[in-house]
Amino acid sequence: MGFARACSVALVGVEGVVVEVQADLEPGVAAFTLVGLPDKSLVESRDRVRAAVVNSGAEWPQKKLTVGLSPASVPKSGSGFDLAVACAVLGAAERIDPAMIADVVMIGELGLDGRVRPVRGVLPAVLAAAEAGYEQVVVPEQTAGEAALVPGISVLGVRSLRQLIAVLCDEPVPEEPADGQGRPDAMLAGLMIPGTGLGTGLAPAAARGDGHRPDLADVAGQLRPRQALEVAAAGGHHLLLSGPPGAGKTMLAERLSAVLPPLTRQESLEVTAVHSVAGILPPGEPLVSRAPYCAPHHSATMQSLVGGGNGIPRPGAVSLAHRGVLFLDEAPEFSGKALDALRQPLESGHVVVARAAGVVRLPARFLMVLAANPCPCGRHTLTGAGCECPPSVVRRYQARLSGPLLDRVDVRVEVEPVDRADLLGQGGRGESTEVVAARVRDARARAAERLAGTPWTTNSEVPGHELRTRLLVAPGALAAAERDLERGILTARGLDRVLRVAWTVADLRAADRPDASDVAVALELRTGIQRGVPMRAGER
């Protein structure tokens, strides 16, 4: 009887569980049994592995073969177990030394000719292996750069099963010819899910083929919305842009991700792990370094927004926008069920999706931007534009954004139509993205210095209790906010969010703490009621 084991990783959401792949050979009629709660694609690995082993020059054992995936209670899906199954079978057949593969994590799909094809989710799988104490991983050559992002892990990238057998047996490594030049690499097809390419709203803003990055200087006029955008970026505050069609709401939202600071190393690993599992990680770019931008269509279902699907839940738009921007254009056109599902991730920064196959926790700390028209025809706020929507229709349209959802939006601003002077450039170009992003970085640095030693890094994350007890504003600065609270204009949550925005406004003007004018600006951004204070968030 022969026995050998190797290791692989099963992904549950964006978290990995190390799986021990055990192979047992016994005398009897030749058969191949795979146990351990595999899905359909994993059951089919029996035929892929058998053909790959034979076409790699190794002999397939003509005995009763049982392959077990332990722990058996964890659902396992995908084709990433092929490499571990093949090596475990060869170890049980004594083609390779079982001791050489016992503590090696192997991730990869096998082609019938023995080539190792890349799979999605390599980074979270290697992270799980490192947390479990493993030090060696074998991955497809195309994803070796992604696996090497994890510190303390020795990564071996292989192109075929023949090469891996030669390395494990200390034999000369054969050369594998590359595919023909001048055409896309067919081996990279397994990294991308069909339908998640550019133009679907599910790809990072930086991944654009023409290399053009939208600039804030392209926006004509709109001084107040630009300042609100700067405040939202500096503090991580959610933003509502309302106004008639063609005023520039979408242009402003598309430029927000470029204003955000570059991701830290830890944030980059979090975002890359989610994008790798979702299949939208651009080939050749193993690490996402800039804030992602996700703009789903208003026909999106609740499952596509927060995550879900058949079997193990998959990341939704809120997870794809983790540490970046989630833009909901034509927000009232989204279903009420889908919009209300955003309430919990807006507060907690993660999504817990419960399905029959299991419960998955997905990261979802994003900056939400809502764009809405004032009425179905969009001309309700325009003077002399001829809006024919009845008042009841206008009220019903605006009520599609529920009060509890809007209560979680810190900054609300009206986007007015652009006048002729601004549109023709007579008013001068506004500040560029580079200038605004520099102020945002300085403001975030001040907030991070103030919050050093706490679990929070931006003002939007600080709990209300801390704002009212430890981070105190100037004496008398909250008088106007307290009056609004007593009148019912503000809720208790709204008061906390006004305090957070006030701290951001103070950071943008390099003040030690907010004063009455900073709170007045925050109240105006929150309620839309004019306070008589000029909004100069970026003024030094």
Side-chain angles (χ1 to χ4, degrees):
M1 181 181 69
F3 176 83
R5 63 186 178 91
C7 296
S8 191
V9 178
L11 289 178
V12 182
V14 294
E15 299 177 356
V17 178
V18 176
V19 173
E20 190 175 274
V21 181
Q22 304 169 344
D24 177 70
L25 284 175
E26 296 180 0
V29 178
F32 189 169
T33 304
L34 183 64
V35 297
L37 210 59
D39 72 341
K40 179 65 175 176
S41 61
L42 186 50
V43 169
E44 293 174 350
S45 69
R46 295 178 300 184
D47 300 320
R48 291 195 302 269
V49 169
R50 181 187 292 110
V53 168
V54 173
N55 290 328
S56 297
E59 183 179 353
W60 184 260
Q62 299 300 319
K63 295 182 180 180
K64 181 182 178 181
L65 171 61
T66 303
V67 174
L69 308 176
S70 178
S73 59
V74 177
K76 304 165 189 72
S77 61
S79 57
F81 295 87
D82 290 2
L83 201 57
V85 170
C87 288
V89 171
L90 292 175
E94 298 182 352
R95 172 63 178 87
I96 58 180
D97 185 3
M100 295 291 294
I101 61 174
D103 295 321
V104 179
V105 176
M106 303 180 183
I107 305 164
E109 175 187 335
L110 285 176
L112 299 184
D113 57 353
R115 291 185 301 169
V116 180
R117 302 182 64 93
V119 294
R120 298 185 297 271
V122 168
L123 178 59
V126 177
L127 284 171
E131 293 176 359
Y134 291 87
E135 299 178 352
Q136 294 180 321
V137 296
V138 178
V139 298
E141 186 180 53
Q142 292 86 346
T143 58
E146 184 180 343
L149 297 174
V150 182
I153 288 289
S154 175
V155 179
L156 173 62
V158 294
R159 187 175 294 178
S160 67
L161 181 60
R162 285 183 291 271
Q163 290 184 338
L164 181 57
I165 295 174
V167 171
L168 294 175
C169 296
D170 198 16
E171 299 173 356
V173 179
E175 289 290 338
E176 293 291 344
D179 290 340
Q181 300 297 323
R183 60 183 180 183
D185 189 356
M187 300 290 283
L188 298 176
L191 297 178
M192 301 292 290
I193 297 178
T196 57
L198 302 179
T200 62
L202 296 178
R208 301 196 173 183
D210 55 3
H212 173 71
R213 190 178 299 277
D215 197 299
L216 265 177
D218 301 333
V219 180
Q222 304 297 0
L223 176 61
R224 198 167 195 80
R226 287 168 60 99
Q227 293 170 330
L229 197 78
E230 183 176 342
V231 172
H237 306 290
H238 305 303
L239 175 64
L240 170 63
L241 300 172
S242 57
K249 301 186 295 294
T250 303
M251 285 187 67
L252 288 165
E254 287 179 343
R255 284 147 179 80
L256 179 56
S257 61
V259 177
L260 296 176
L263 301 178
T264 64
R265 175 74 178 186
Q266 180 60 34
E267 292 171 348
S268 294
L269 290 177
E270 294 175 5
V271 174
T272 304
V274 175
H275 288 194
S276 178
V277 170
I280 65 172
L281 194 63
E285 298 181 16
L287 186 65
V288 179
S289 59
R290 298 195 61 86
Y293 172 82
C294 185
H297 191 259
H298 61 256
S299 61
T301 62
M302 185 185 71
Q303 289 77 13
S304 66
L305 279 181
V306 300
N310 297 326
I312 296 297
R314 308 289 297 178
V318 296
S319 297
L320 300 181
H322 180 58
R323 302 294 181 183
V325 177
L326 176 67
F327 177 45
L328 302 183
D329 199 5
E330 306 293 346
E333 300 295 340
F334 283 80
S335 70
K337 186 178 179 181
L339 288 176
D340 288 338
L342 299 176
R343 297 183 195 175
Q344 184 246 350
L346 286 175
E347 289 289 330
S348 62
H350 62 267
V351 176
V352 178
V353 183
R355 294 291 185 270
V359 180
V360 173
R361 185 179 186 272
L362 301 170
R365 187 168 297 281
F366 55 91
L367 196 163
M368 182 181 68
V369 180
L370 302 175
N373 294 327
C375 67
C377 75
R379 300 191 298 269
H380 179 65
T381 57
L382 297 179
T383 303
C387 175
E388 298 179 355
C389 299
S392 60
V393 174
V394 175
R395 287 195 302 270
R396 188 160 54 247
Y397 184 82
Q398 295 177 352
R400 293 182 182 179
L401 298 179
S402 64
L405 177 64
L406 291 179
D407 198 35
R408 291 165 167 83
V409 178
D410 304 343
V411 180
R412 309 172 191 176
V413 64
E414 290 284 340
V415 183
E416 301 292 341
V418 183
D419 56 27
R420 183 179 60 182
D422 288 331
L423 190 60
L424 298 180
Q426 298 173 4
R429 288 170 60 88
E431 291 179 318
S432 66
T433 297
E434 184 178 357
V435 174
V436 178
R439 285 201 301 265
V440 170
R441 285 195 300 269
D442 293 342
R444 288 216 176 190
R446 277 187 284 273
E449 183 180 358
R450 180 174 62 252
L451 300 173
T454 68
W456 318 294
T457 57
T458 60
N459 294 322
S460 62
E461 301 173 359
V462 182
H465 176 72
E466 291 288 326
L467 291 170
R468 295 188 297 270
T469 57
R470 191 170 71 88
L471 302 176
L472 300 178
V473 300
L478 286 178
E482 292 170 354
R483 287 194 300 269
D484 284 358
L485 182 64
E486 293 175 355
R487 297 170 182 170
I489 300 176
L490 282 180
T491 63
R493 181 194 286 123
L495 179 61
D496 291 342
R497 294 186 176 274
V498 166
L499 283 173
R500 293 168 183 162
V501 176
W503 273 104
T504 301
V505 176
D507 288 335
L508 283 169
R509 65 181 186 88
D512 293 334
R513 57 178 178 173
D515 56 15
S517 63
D518 296 327
V519 175
V521 170
L523 282 170
E524 185 172 332
L525 289 174
R526 172 77 182 183
T527 63
I529 301 174
Q530 297 292 332
R531 304 285 168 167
V533 178
M535 182 177 171
R536 298 171 182 171
E539 184 175 331
R540 306 283 179 178

